[in-house]
């Protein structure tokens, strides 16, 4: 996965940006309405998230053991730690 400038966005924000990169005109042609670099980055970010989801999904398709811990700091910052152990070891 290649980090992008959109990696801090929520999934909904990524979907919104994807929806905004092109528009369809009355003559049925499509026009890119953002800079090509931004379009490339948002498409790459969407791909990164799909690949990340596939990796997590693969972990749970095999028999596995998951260990999860949640820490809440005094300033209400949550830290979630998940360890999955399957035939391939801990990931």
């Amino acid at each position: 996965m290649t980090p992008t400038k959109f990696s801090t966005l929520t999934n909904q924000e990524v979907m919104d940006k994807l929806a905004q990169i092109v528009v369809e005109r009355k003559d049925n042609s499509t026009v890119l309405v953002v800079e090509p670099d931004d379009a490339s980055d948002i498409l790459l970010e969407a791909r990164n998230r799909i690949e990340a989801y596939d990796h997590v999904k693969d972990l749970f398709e095999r028999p596995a053991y998951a260990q999860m811990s949640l820490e809440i700091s005094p300033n209400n910052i949550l830290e979630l730690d998940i360890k999955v152990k399957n035939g391939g070891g801990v990931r």
Side-chain angles (χ1 to χ4, degrees):
M1 291 191 328
T2 305
T4 71
K5 64 182 175 183
F6 297 112
S7 61
T8 59
L9 297 181
T10 66
N11 287 342
Q12 184 60 52
E13 290 169 327
V14 169
M15 290 189 316
D16 292 345
K17 288 228 177 265
L18 280 170
Q20 297 168 0
I21 63 174
V22 296
V23 294
E24 192 169 323
R25 298 192 314 195
K26 289 181 183 179
D27 64 357
N28 291 331
S29 63
T30 304
V31 179
L32 185 65
V33 293
V34 298
E35 293 294 322
D37 286 345
D38 284 348
S40 177
D41 274 357
I42 197 63
L43 290 169
L44 181 57
E45 183 59 34
R47 179 180 173 180
N48 285 346
R49 291 174 190 224
I50 291 168
E51 287 178 358
Y53 172 76
D54 283 344
H55 291 305
V56 170
K57 190 177 93 176
D58 287 346
L59 288 174
F60 289 98
E61 286 181 344
R62 299 185 295 266
Y65 168 77
Q67 179 182 4
M68 181 172 49
S69 65
L70 176 65
E71 292 184 28
I72 304 173
S73 66
N75 57 355
N76 294 324
I77 294 177
L78 302 177
E79 183 176 323
L80 177 64
D81 183 36
I82 300 175
K83 294 179 182 172
V84 177
K85 188 172 189 174
N86 57 25
V90 175
R91 292 188 180 198

